[in-house]
Every structure is written in C-alpha cells, then in structure tokens.
C-alpha cells in the first residue's frame, strides 16, 4: 500500500528563526557589553535558555524539514534541504553550547566547532543567494560573521568576544524580522520577505 501526502506550503521556518533569534538576543548583550556579568547563576540560566530556545526550536524545525523532504515528501523546494541541514546542525550545536555554559566549561574547544560552522554558514549563503532568497542569504552572512568572531573569542581575544556580541545582536534582530515576516506571509498571504 502506497500512501501519498499532500504537499505543504507551511514549513516550520518561523519556529527555527524565533528560537535562534531569542538565543542571540540573550547571549549578545553579555558578550558585547558584559551585561549581565557572568557568574554561576547567570551561566546556568543562559545555559538553560540556550538549550531550549535556539537548541530545541531549531532541532525540531530541522527534523520536521528533513522528514517532510525525505520520508513523507510534503516539502518540495530544494533550498529547504539546506534549511533542514542548518536548523538541525545549529540546534544540536546549541544543545552543546548551552550545556557547556550551564557547566561553566572551557570555551577554547569552540575554536574547532567555529571552523565547521563557518563552512555550513558559507554553504547557506551560496544556496540562498543562488535561490534568490536574499533575506535568508543575509541571515547566513550574519551567521558566518558570528562564527568567524566566535573563533577569535574562543582563543581568548577580547575583541572577538565583543564582535561576537555585536553580530549576535544584529543577527538576532534580523531573525526577529524573519520570524515576523514568515509568520505573517504564511498566515495572511502577505509578502514581507520580498
């Protein structure tokens, strides 16, 4: 028996954008201006938020996209494969970042992670700019700048941490725009993402 599902015009992109944007808006001020100052209580709270918002929201989005693209084939647009890869990988990496922050672990191990995530961010730029989806392509520019900055922050360069905070905040604001635009576009048939 062959079961066919109808194509869906509603991939869960807004959930992934919202989760990541919330995470960036939480960690950005601490990296940029030192607020709130780090201590064990702040690190635990930041770790919990990091696991659940950018971690869980993106992971769920990525899994739904992969299942929808491969198993039940309700999503048909090829760039969604890149979105599924990015949401899944970034979600899993936020689980690790959140846990490491919760445990007050050594951030120097993030340097190698930054190389891999810079690569996936550049892939996202290539895919989405070539697919003429410049708003999401621009998101991946922000992500690339985040991971380049994070590399320098991870090896102990203070300016890298401040740059990381700036790019987290700027990209977090862009993600809030993408969340709003995606939700109203899908819900009301508007065209905010251009």
């Amino acid at each position: 028996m062959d079961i066919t599902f109808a194509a869906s015009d509603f991939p869960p992109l807004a959930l992934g954008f919202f989760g990541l944007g919330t995470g960036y808006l939480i960690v950005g001020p601490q990296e940029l201006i030192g607020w709130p100052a780090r201590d064990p209580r702040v690190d635990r709270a930041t770790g919990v938020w990091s696991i659940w918002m950018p971690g869980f929201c993106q992971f769920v989005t990525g899994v739904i996209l992969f299942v929808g693209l491969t198993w039940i084939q309700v999503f048909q647009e090829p760039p969604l494969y890149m979105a599924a890869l990015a949401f899944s990988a970034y979600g899993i990496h936020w689980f690790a970042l959140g846990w490491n922050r919760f445990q007050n672990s050594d951030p120097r191990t993030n340097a190698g992670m930054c190389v891999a995530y810079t690569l996936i961010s550049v892939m996202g730029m290539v895919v989405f700019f070539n697919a003429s989806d410049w708003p999401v392509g621009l998101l991946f520019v922000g992500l690339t700048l985040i991971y380049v900055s994070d590399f320098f922050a991870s090896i102990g360069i203070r300016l890298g941490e401040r740059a990381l905070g700036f790019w987290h905040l700027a990209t977090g604001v862009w993600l809030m725009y993408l969340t709003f635009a995606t939700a109203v576009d899908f819900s009301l048939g508007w065209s905010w993402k251009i």
Side-chain angles (χ1 to χ4, degrees):
M1 180 172 167
D2 193 17
I3 298 174
T4 303
F5 295 93
S8 174
D9 293 328
F10 303 105
L13 303 174
L15 176 64
F17 293 151
F18 181 75
L20 181 58
T22 301
Y24 285 169
L25 295 175
I26 290 169
V27 300
Q30 189 175 65
E31 297 157 339
L32 183 61
I33 61 172
W35 185 87
R38 287 189 68 172
D39 65 33
R41 292 180 61 226
V42 169
D43 281 349
R44 283 193 305 274
T46 303
V48 169
W49 277 110
S50 297
I51 290 168
W52 287 107
M53 289 307 297
F56 191 70
C57 288
Q58 287 189 102
F59 180 71
V60 167
T61 301
V63 169
I64 291 170
L65 287 173
F66 268 132
V67 169
L69 285 164
T70 59
W71 292 352
I72 59 176
Q73 300 174 352
V74 294
F75 304 127
Q76 304 295 318
E77 296 176 22
L80 288 177
Y81 185 84
M82 181 67 223
L85 171 63
F87 280 126
S88 299
Y90 291 132
I92 293 166
H93 123 286
W94 272 95
F95 289 151
L97 289 177
W99 182 252
N100 285 342
R101 177 62 71 95
F102 187 86
Q103 296 291 323
N104 197 21
S105 300
D106 189 334
R108 291 177 296 174
T109 58
N110 292 352
M113 173 275 298
C114 292
V115 173
Y117 281 88
T118 298
L119 177 64
I120 200 170
S121 299
V122 169
M123 281 190 291
M125 282 193 301
V126 169
V127 168
F128 288 102
F129 282 130
N130 278 295
S132 298
D133 190 345
W134 71 265
V136 179
L138 192 58
L139 166 62
F140 280 95
V141 170
L143 293 168
T144 301
L145 293 167
I146 284 169
Y147 290 104
V148 169
S149 300
D150 197 5
F151 176 83
F152 292 105
S154 297
I155 61 173
I157 297 174
R158 176 77 178 131
L159 183 58
E161 184 177 4
R162 294 190 54 127
L164 178 60
F166 175 81
W167 292 118
H168 271 154
L169 289 171
T171 306
V173 169
W174 186 247
L175 282 156
M176 290 298 114
Y177 165 76
L178 289 175
T179 300
F180 191 92
T182 302
V184 298
D185 286 359
F186 287 174
S187 299
L188 301 175
W190 293 1
S191 297
W192 276 51
K193 280 178 57 178
I194 301 175

